[in-house]
């Protein structure tokens, strides 16, 4: 009997030990599982955060291989960049120098750089040394690429604009200077007729400079106000009548007939003076760039909520490739001809901005030797 109790005791303690060991094992497994889950959660959290950032972010390991790229970087360089050496993505010498620098000195660094593939990009690369590396690495390098391509374009536009204005002003100024020299001490000093000729040229050039400055100031004012939509109720018929009569002398001098077919009331949302400026520029161009004994027709088509006014001339026409460019500042199809007739190259740029301000649309059709059609679509005042 004692032996039976003894054997039962041994069996019970074995079973209890086994149960204890099993429980212990189980709790250890759960702890490990939690750790893995925590790591996963941490990865998801910081990766989600980095994916929200518009800058392209890549993380490199000690071998300069990409171990992580956020969505912006994957979109720019493609999914295959992960696990590749950084130099297969960006080879720019400034960037390569900066990367080598940070691996040697462990100090954060910023550098301007550019890449041309898959498309051109100018960027500022902020490169950080991270002591506790990602994914259990000893250290990591984080590269944040800030895209400055658009800013660079704006800077270029600005400097092109300054260069253009300087050039446009310098040309008439040089003529004026030459005129003064010729009549004060040059060959025309004692020649009355020659003197008058030079004074006329100087007056012309002064007017050109004056017109250029007026147009530049107008353009800059319109650009500042472009977001403010004018809201008056304007009869477009009155606008077109005023434009036709203001340009009557100019058109008659060139024996060009302006036929304004807009005789009905037609109310648009806008600003009277600005609408006059739009159509004055378009009709004046139609006169300037047409031969004598031709016609200019002004017509309108009304829809439920807008009206399109068409100005059609029988002039020189515009080459197809130049049509999209005529609204650019200082663009002229024939610069010499435009300057000779007093053009500043800013008229259609002003027209385009004024139409935008009216929330309208501008469209041009043209054929060399046959003439041009200028369409201005404006919202109706219902
Ligand atoms: P510009 O002061 O030179 O007339 P614009 O901005 O008004 O400047 O026009 C730009 C260019 O577009 C002109 O130089 C001319 O080459 C072309 N252009 C404008 N209107 C016409 C037109 N009706 N027919 C032919 N060419 C035109």
């Amino acid at each position: 009997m004692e032996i039976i109790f003894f054997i039962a005791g041994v069996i019970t303690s074995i079973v209890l030990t086994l149960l204890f060991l099993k429980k212990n094992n189980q709790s250890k497994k759960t702890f490990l599982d939690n750790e893995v889950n925590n790591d996963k959660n941490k990865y998801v959290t910081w990766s989600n955060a980095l994916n929200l950032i518009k800058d392209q972010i890549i993380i490199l390991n000690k071998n300069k291989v990409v171990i992580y790229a956020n969505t912006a970087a994957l979109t720019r360089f493609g999914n295959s960049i992960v696990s590749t050496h950084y130099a297969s993505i960006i080879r720019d010498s400034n960037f390569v120098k900066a990367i080598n620098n940070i691996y040697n000195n462990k100090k954060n660094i910023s550098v301007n750089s550019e890449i041309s593939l898959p498309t051109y990009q100018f960027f500022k690369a902020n490169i950080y040394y991270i002591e506790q590396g990602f994914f259990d690495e000893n250290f990591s390098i984080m590269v944040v690429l800030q895209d400055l391509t658009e800013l660079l374009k704006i800077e270029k536009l600005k400097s092109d604009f300054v260069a253009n204005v300087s050039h446009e002003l310098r040309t008439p100024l040089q003529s004026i200077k030459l005129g003064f020299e010729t009549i004060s001490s040059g060959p025309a000093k004692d020649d009355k007729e020659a003197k008058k000729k030079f004074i006329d040229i100087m007056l012309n050039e002064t007017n050109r400079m004056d017109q250029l400055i007026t147009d530049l100031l107008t353009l800059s004012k319109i650009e500042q106000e472009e977001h403010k939509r004018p809201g008056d109720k304007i009869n477009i018929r009155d606008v077109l009548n005023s434009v036709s009569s203001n340009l009557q002398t100019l058109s008659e001098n060139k024996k060009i007939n302006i036929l304004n077919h807009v005789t009905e009331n037609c109310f648009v949302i806008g600003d009277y003076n600005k609408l006059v400026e739009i159509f004055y520029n378009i009709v004046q161009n139609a006169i300037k760039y047409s031969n004598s004994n031709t016609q200019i027709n002004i017509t309108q088509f009304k829809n439920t909520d807008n009206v399109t006014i068409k100005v059609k001339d029988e002039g020189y026409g515009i080459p197809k490739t130049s049509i999209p460019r005529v609204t650019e500042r200082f663009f002229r199809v024939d610069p010499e001809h435009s300057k000779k007739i007093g053009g500043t190259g800013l008229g259609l740029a002003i027209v385009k901005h004024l139409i935008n301000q009216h929330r309208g649309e501008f469209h041009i059709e043209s054929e060399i030797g046959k003439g041009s059609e200028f369409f201005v679509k404006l919202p109706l005042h219902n």
Side-chain angles (χ1 to χ4, degrees), residues 22-35:
K22 193 176 175 219
K23 190 168 178 261
N24 223 9
N25 235 358
Q26 262 180 353
S27 65
K28 211 173 177 185
K29 198 174 164 208
T30 321
F31 171 76
L32 274 177
D33 271 354
N34 279 344
E35 212 167 51

Side-chain angles (χ1 to χ4, degrees), residues 2 42 48 50 55 92 111 138 177 185-186 216 245 262 366:
E2 272 180 2
K42 266 189 222 160
N48 277 350
L50 295 188
D55 295 339
D92 180 80
V111 64
N138 288 343
K177 194 175 158 215
S185 54
L216 278 171
S245 63
V262 181
S366 188

Side-chain angles (χ1 to χ4, degrees), residues 110-254:
S110 287
V111 64
N112 285 342
S113 187
E114 56 189 3
I115 34 177
S116 45
L117 287 170
T119 48
Y120 179 81
Q121 186 184 358
F122 176 78
F123 57 84
K124 180 176 183 189
N126 298 307
I127 310 171
Y128 304 96
Y129 181 86
I130 296 170
E131 262 180 41
Q132 269 188 320
F134 289 83
F135 309 118
D136 292 336
E137 299 269 347
N138 288 343
F139 72 93
S140 298
I141 299 296
M142 181 163 80
V143 181
V144 181
L145 303 176
Q146 218 181 334
D147 193 343
L148 302 178
T149 319
E150 281 307 307
L151 264 180
L152 188 76
K153 267 190 206 157
I154 293 170
E155 281 305 312
K156 187 168 168 356
L157 275 179
K158 262 197 222 161
S159 62
D160 282 357
F161 179 67
V162 172
N164 273 331
V165 172
S166 314
H167 174 77
E168 295 285 336
L169 285 172
R170 174 172 275 170
T171 318
L173 201 61
Q174 272 170 344
S175 296
I176 295 168
K177 194 175 158 215
L178 194 75
F180 269 125
E181 282 166 5
T182 321
I183 57 173
S184 62
S185 54
K189 191 170 173 255
D190 303 312
D191 184 337
K192 239 182 171 184
E193 235 174 74
K195 244 185 191 172
K196 189 182 172 320
K197 197 177 129 208
F198 278 104
I199 287 173
D200 283 349
I201 292 173
M202 283 152 64
L203 199 63
N204 248 340
E205 296 297 330
T206 314
N207 286 338
R208 216 175 106 194
M209 282 173 78
D210 190 28
Q211 187 58 50
L212 182 69
I213 290 164
T214 309
D215 280 359
L216 278 171
L217 290 174
T218 309
L219 194 57
S220 132
K221 192 159 173 259
I222 298 165
E223 277 176 342
Q224 279 168 23
E225 290 175 349
E226 203 166 313
H227 62 283
K228 284 191 227 153
R229 185 182 176 184
D232 298 340
K233 181 179 179 182
I234 307 293
N235 194 344
I236 206 75
R237 187 198 60 179
D238 297 344
V239 171
L240 295 171
N241 279 340
S242 154
V243 169
S244 305
S245 63
N246 285 345
L247 285 167
Q248 203 177 344
T249 318
L250 189 71
S251 64
E252 276 174 6
N253 285 345
K254 247 186 122 173

Side-chain angles (χ1 to χ4, degrees), residues 1 7 16 58 68 96 129 132 135 137 167 177-178 197 202 219 225 237 247 298 306 328 333 339 341 348 367:
M1 192 67 172
I7 292 170
L16 283 175
I58 53 179
Y68 171 84
V96 174
Y129 181 86
Q132 269 188 320
F135 309 118
E137 299 269 347
H167 174 77
K177 194 175 158 215
L178 194 75
K197 197 177 129 208
M202 283 152 64
L219 194 57
E225 290 175 349
R237 187 198 60 179
L247 285 167
I298 308 175
N306 56 58
E328 279 174 26
V333 175
K339 282 178 191 169
I341 56 177
L348 290 184
E367 210 174 315

